Amino acid sequence: VCGNGKFKYHEISVVDPEINMYGHADQILDFSRFDCSVFGTGKKVDILFDPEKLPKTPIVNDMKTINSNQFEPKFRANAKGLPKFEHKIQLTIYIHILGLQGGSLIYENKDNSDLKIFYIPRDENLWNKIKEQADLMNAMVVDKKLPPPRPVKKTDYECKDCDFKSICHVSNIW
């Protein structure tokens, strides 16, 4: 966006053809070679976190931006502030397809750059439910059946990039 040719944005493709799922992860973070000796007192940057708390194995990271109207009530100090369920599902899919032990969701308030970070560990039970749902939906496509859509109309945001819209939009459920 800034026009600087030295920056390239590369998303990591996450694909599982067996369950017909794919997406693009924002980052894979690996702190295994993190050297805290280049930071600290007398250096250019002080460490404001505990390096021992960094993950020991690579994690997938997904970033979400939201405005103050959503960020403040959800993540202020006295709010429960859990990540959105659909974001947890997305990250769980990435974690399992990439064979990782966990990942993080980073919510950024796009009005002031405040952050809220959640670590999501690998969850075999949730992954099994996701695969079961994917198998059911894939079978419905083969059999030319689909569950009723959640969106109210075909122009809803959820339909924009959905792989099922060519089948769904011509079905009788609309």
Side-chain angles (χ1 to χ4, degrees):
V1 172
C2 70
N4 187 328
K6 294 182 180 181
F7 294 104
K8 291 185 180 178
Y9 182 72
H10 295 284
E11 291 181 324
I12 295 99
S13 292
V14 181
V15 180
D16 187 336
E18 185 178 320
I19 57 173
N20 194 26
M21 284 203 189
Y22 65 91
H24 301 283
D26 290 327
Q27 300 167 331
I28 303 288
L29 302 176
D30 182 356
F31 300 101
S32 63
R33 293 184 291 152
F34 181 76
D35 180 6
C36 54
S37 69
V38 299
F39 300 100
T41 308
K43 306 287 182 185
K44 293 181 181 179
V45 179
D46 285 335
I47 294 179
L48 301 176
F49 61 93
D50 182 356
E52 293 301 314
K53 292 185 179 178
L54 290 174
K56 305 299 182 222
T57 59
I59 63 170
V60 61
N61 181 51
D62 205 46
M63 301 176 77
K64 307 294 184 186
T65 57
I66 57 179
N67 62 29
S68 291
N69 293 338
Q70 295 172 317
F71 190 92
E72 296 305 329
K74 186 164 183 65
F75 299 130
R76 68 179 180 269
N78 60 353
K80 288 203 183 238
L82 299 174
K84 286 187 173 184
F85 183 68
E86 58 266 30
H87 296 161
K88 185 177 177 183
I89 294 292
Q90 178 187 11
L91 195 67
T92 297
I93 292 168
Y94 293 169
I95 290 167
H96 282 81
I97 291 176
L98 294 169
L100 302 174
Q101 295 306 307
S104 66
L105 283 169
I106 298 179
Y107 289 89
E108 179 189 7
N109 182 335
K110 55 184 157 185
D111 298 328
N112 61 17
S113 297
D114 282 350
L115 297 174
K116 183 68 177 180
I117 303 170
F118 297 95
Y119 178 76
I120 307 296
R122 186 179 182 94
D123 183 336
E124 296 301 328
N125 290 331
L126 183 55
W127 175 236
N128 288 332
K129 289 176 187 172
I130 291 167
K131 287 193 308 184
E132 182 181 317
Q133 183 66 37
D135 289 342
L136 287 170
M137 291 185 74
N138 287 324
M140 288 179 192
V141 169
V142 170
D143 296 339
K144 304 246 187 278
K145 299 176 190 173
L146 282 173
R150 291 177 68 192
V152 176
K153 52 189 185 259
K154 293 178 187 181
T155 56
D156 281 358
Y157 177 80
E158 290 87 352
C159 290
K160 183 175 155 276
D161 295 317
C162 179
D163 288 341
F164 296 100
K165 74 180 177 186
S166 63
I167 298 167
C168 182
H169 285 187
V170 297
S171 72
N172 292 333
I173 55 177
W174 285 101

